[in-house]
Amino acid sequence: MELKWLDDYLALVNCGSFTKAAAVRHITQPAFSRRIRALEHWLGVQLVDRSRYPTTLTEVGRAFVATATELRE
């Protein structure tokens, strides 16, 4: 896992959208989305429900916010 993936995830949580979070992280939206998918793959869980618009966090994704925050402190 790369630590920047946690920063990306927390940016997504704070911004509420992939597009806004990608802009905050200064990367393209497709690259940002790949990094979130890489984090999900590494963890073996789905953090974001992409079947809805706007996207929302899954139950696991909401629980992971505290862990990601703690790891980045």
Side-chain angles (χ1 to χ4, degrees), residues 1 4-5 7 12 15-16 19 21 25 28 33 37 39 49 54 56 58 60 62 65 67 72:
M1 176 177 59
K4 66 183 174 186
W5 296 348
D7 295 330
L12 178 59
C15 293
T19 302
R25 298 289 293 148
T28 65
S33 184
R37 283 196 189 274
L39 175 62
D49 181 357
T56 58
T58 63
V60 173
R62 288 188 299 276
V65 172
T67 302
R72 290 310 296 146

Side-chain angles (χ1 to χ4, degrees), residues 4-67:
K4 66 183 174 186
W5 296 348
L6 296 175
D7 295 330
D8 293 339
Y9 182 67
L10 293 173
L12 178 59
V13 169
N14 290 327
C15 293
S17 85
F18 279 83
T19 302
K20 290 177 185 174
V24 166
R25 298 289 293 148
H26 305 289
I27 61 173
T28 65
Q29 187 275 326
F32 183 83
S33 184
R34 283 191 300 271
R35 286 166 41 166
I36 297 299
R37 283 196 189 274
L39 175 62
E40 290 176 317
H41 180 74
W42 192 87
L43 293 170
V45 296
Q46 184 178 357
L47 299 171
V48 180
D49 181 357
R50 293 171 178 83
S51 67
R52 300 177 183 205
Y53 182 80
T55 56
T56 58
L57 299 179
T58 63
E59 185 176 327
V60 173
R62 288 188 299 276
F64 185 67
V65 172
T67 302

